[in-house]
Amino acid sequence: MKVGIDMGTTSNGDNVPLDIEELLATRLLVQGNSGSGKSHLLRRLLEQSAPWVQQCIIDPEGDFVTLADKFGHVVIDGERTEAELIGIANRIRQHRVSCVLSLEGLDIELQMRNAGIFLNAMFDADREFWYPVLVVVDEAQMFAPSVAGDVSEEARKVSLGAMTNLMCRGRKRGLAGVIATQRLAKLAKNVAAEASNFLMGRTFLDIDMARAAD
């Protein structure tokens, strides 16, 4: 049975459905400058699909923790040890629990490191737990930067490797990546290139418009 979720209406008043089965079989990239409605779109997608599919949200700003109030998502405090994150990620896959990994308040290096550890643990779960999961990563350019920044090479390697695994090899393990970014030019090309579907929002800078056009 196909399930179509309602993402809104066109200027003509026509409904805009999104096929969950197709979404889980592919990967989605959402791009839009700050204030263009990117977070609202992600929220809509998550709320509409919550009754139908397990979800895991990597939330650097604490924008999605309120999903717990209405839909029962487990909110995971991102300030944990590596062993704790791995153990939680394994239980999340085993018990098919929707969750929000809240990284709010952590410095960028710790956000990258802990998100990478958590995503890798979900990726490395035993085959018997490869159930379909919608994995949403907001501000993806933070976790898959196109160039090295002011963080350690170790943190960047862990985070970028996890994002690459999610977008390149995650589908066979039931992980359907949905990544959102403000700036395409700041997102690693090998991560962005694996997206099968694109939702492009408002874009200002020439370099981002060129990437979007490509």
Side-chain angles (χ1 to χ4, degrees), residues 8-161:
T9 58
T10 68
S11 57
N12 296 326
D14 297 325
N15 289 333
V16 181
L18 186 64
D19 185 346
I20 291 184
E21 185 178 354
E22 182 68 19
L23 182 62
L24 290 172
T26 57
R27 291 159 292 275
L28 174 65
L29 170 62
V30 180
Q31 185 271 332
N33 291 139
S34 179
S36 65
K38 175 172 54 65
S39 295
H40 178 77
L41 184 146
L42 286 179
R43 184 83 185 199
R44 177 83 175 185
L45 173 63
L46 289 165
E47 289 181 349
Q48 290 288 309
S49 62
W52 303 101
V53 64
Q54 182 186 356
Q55 301 172 343
C56 173
I57 302 104
I58 307 299
D59 185 7
E61 301 293 341
D63 292 333
F64 300 99
V65 294
T66 53
L67 289 169
D69 299 332
K70 187 174 182 180
F71 299 103
H73 289 58
V74 173
V75 178
I76 303 165
D77 181 2
E79 192 171 3
R80 293 179 179 272
T81 66
E82 180 175 356
E84 287 175 332
L85 289 169
I86 292 173
I88 292 171
N90 284 330
R91 291 195 294 275
I92 288 296
R93 295 226 67 182
Q94 180 178 353
H95 298 292
R96 307 182 72 174
V97 177
S98 290
C99 68
V100 180
L101 180 65
S102 178
L103 301 169
E104 185 181 17
L106 304 183
D107 63 59
I108 180 61
E109 182 162 334
L110 198 55
Q111 285 190 341
M112 293 176 69
R113 173 187 171 275
N114 289 4
I117 290 170
F118 189 81
L119 287 173
N120 276 331
M122 291 194 69
F123 181 86
D124 292 334
D126 292 340
R127 180 182 288 270
E128 61 184 305
F129 303 129
W130 288 2
Y131 304 115
V133 188
L134 197 63
V135 182
V136 176
V137 183
D138 198 14
E139 305 299 347
Q141 75 282 349
M142 294 171 51
F143 305 105
S146 58
V147 296
D150 297 328
V151 298
S152 69
E153 182 60 25
E154 178 188 4
R156 180 175 180 271
K157 184 177 180 181
V158 169
S159 182
L160 182 57

